[in-house]
Amino acid sequence: MRLEEDFATRLKAYEGRPAVVAGVGKDPVNAPMIRHWCEAMGDADPAYTGPDAIAPPTMLQVWTMSGLSGHTGRTQAYDELSALLDEAGCTSVVATDCEQEYLRPLRPGDEVTFDTVIESVSDQKRTRLGTGYFVTTRMDVRVDGEPVGTHRFRILKYAPAGEPARAEPARAEPATRRPRPVINRDNAGFWEGVARHRLLIQRCGDCGTPRFPWLPGCNTCGSPEWDTFEASGAGTVYSYVVLHHPPFPAFDPPYAVGLIELAEGVRIVSNVTGVPYDKVRIGMPVRLVFERYDEELELPVFRADGGRGVEP
């Protein structure tokens, strides 16, 4: 018990410590990024185009992203906290949720600055993924010194189920299993469908608009009513990236991740298999299969000719 209390005290000591001080967005708010975002999200709101355009509010984090080179204002506190949790066996990580508050619209040309603080570290929690700790950071975003928004981001650093976290840190072997999907009340039906080799798409009960990923309400009319229908499995590669970095034990880079446009008119992000990563092309026809990665995890992926998997 004493060891657990000492470890909890060490974790709590990071609360309130800055993670980024006087960070500066690497690019001003700009029309090309707004256009790419709207195209990817299928958002045709006229407020995001034209001479008086604003940025979609949910892009708040986009303007603060550091890329692979990081931010100059980054401190050591967050890395120290992460390393401490790694040493306690909490080597896996999953983003759980974020909260954003918008104080005024951002417009092309705005240059953002921000400070990030480690807001809280939870007590040890037992979850379906494993045992670990929720870490919440709060980013305060400004333009010309004026607050424009707040972004809270929460992750779970955990020891995978069957590998309990330790109160006394000891160097742990890196996790080799793929991260588990986070299942909640809004997406549980989707994962139940995956377990039955069915890719289910939501459909608004009022206006009939299909939507993916699953959401509690319709983006088109706001209705909370919905049902589902099964995707045929046919699709094309709308866009893709090839992942080379960072390395992770459960993955084998390089590999292709595609934005797949389904025949039903919605898009899904998933792996593209069946051809070498450097042969994936925009417009390539693909077909849904279900790929098993271990005794517990099976995921929908999209295969060109010659891939392996379980036909739906």
Side-chain angles (χ1 to χ4, degrees), residues 76-94:
Q76 295 299 311
Y78 194 86
D79 292 339
E80 292 172 3
L81 173 60
S82 183
L84 186 61
L85 289 167
D86 285 347
E87 291 169 359
C90 299
T91 55
S92 295
V93 62
V94 64

Side-chain angles (χ1 to χ4, degrees), residues 245-261:
H245 181 86
F248 187 77
F251 297 84
D252 185 21
Y255 54 90
V257 176
L259 179 62
I260 308 301
E261 185 160 77

Side-chain angles (χ1 to χ4, degrees), residues 94-99 120 134-137 152-156:
V94 64
T96 62
D97 61 282
C98 71
E99 302 171 10
S120 66
F134 290 93
V135 178
T136 304
T137 55
R152 281 183 174 84
F153 192 70
R154 186 172 295 110
I155 65 168
L156 172 65

Side-chain angles (χ1 to χ4, degrees), residues 69-269:
S69 59
H71 283 298
T72 56
R74 183 182 178 94
T75 73
Q76 295 299 311
Y78 194 86
D79 292 339
E80 292 172 3
L81 173 60
S82 183
L84 186 61
L85 289 167
D86 285 347
E87 291 169 359
C90 299
T91 55
S92 295
V93 62
V94 64
T96 62
D97 61 282
C98 71
E99 302 171 10
Q100 292 185 336
E101 180 182 7
Y102 314 117
L103 302 178
R104 80 146 171 89
L106 290 171
R107 294 179 171 82
D110 283 344
E111 296 188 359
V112 304
T113 59
F114 57 93
D115 298 293
T116 304
V117 65
I118 301 170
E119 189 169 67
S120 66
V121 183
S122 75
D123 296 331
Q124 190 180 87
K125 303 292 184 181
R126 297 185 183 279
T127 75
R128 291 180 63 181
L129 295 176
T131 300
Y133 301 83
F134 290 93
V135 178
T136 304
T137 55
R138 186 190 75 245
M139 177 185 293
D140 297 312
V141 185
R142 301 176 181 84
V143 172
D144 294 329
E146 173 194 357
V148 296
T150 299
H151 175 80
R152 281 183 174 84
F153 192 70
R154 186 172 295 110
I155 65 168
L156 172 65
K157 281 280 287 178
Y158 66 98
E163 302 174 26
R166 298 179 293 272
E168 183 177 9
R171 180 60 61 183
E173 293 297 322
T176 57
R177 299 199 314 167
R178 284 195 174 222
R180 311 289 100 170
V182 176
I183 301 175
N184 55 41
R185 64 182 181 181
D186 291 329
N187 66 16
F190 170 77
W191 291 108
E192 290 168 3
V194 169
R196 302 193 303 272
H197 287 180
R198 301 178 67 203
L199 183 64
L200 298 180
I201 300 171
Q202 279 185 312
R203 175 172 49 203
C204 178
D206 285 339
C207 70
T209 301
R211 64 178 184 261
F212 193 90
W214 281 35
L215 295 169
C218 179
N219 279 333
T220 300
C221 72
S223 172
E225 303 299 326
W226 56 272
D227 61 8
T228 64
F229 65 98
E230 185 175 358
S232 67
T236 57
V237 177
Y238 184 83
S239 184
Y240 71 96
V241 295
V242 174
L243 274 294
H244 295 269
H245 181 86
F248 187 77
F251 297 84
D252 185 21
Y255 54 90
V257 176
L259 179 62
I260 308 301
E261 185 160 77
L262 300 179
E264 292 74 19
V266 297
R267 297 171 190 158
I268 178 174
V269 175

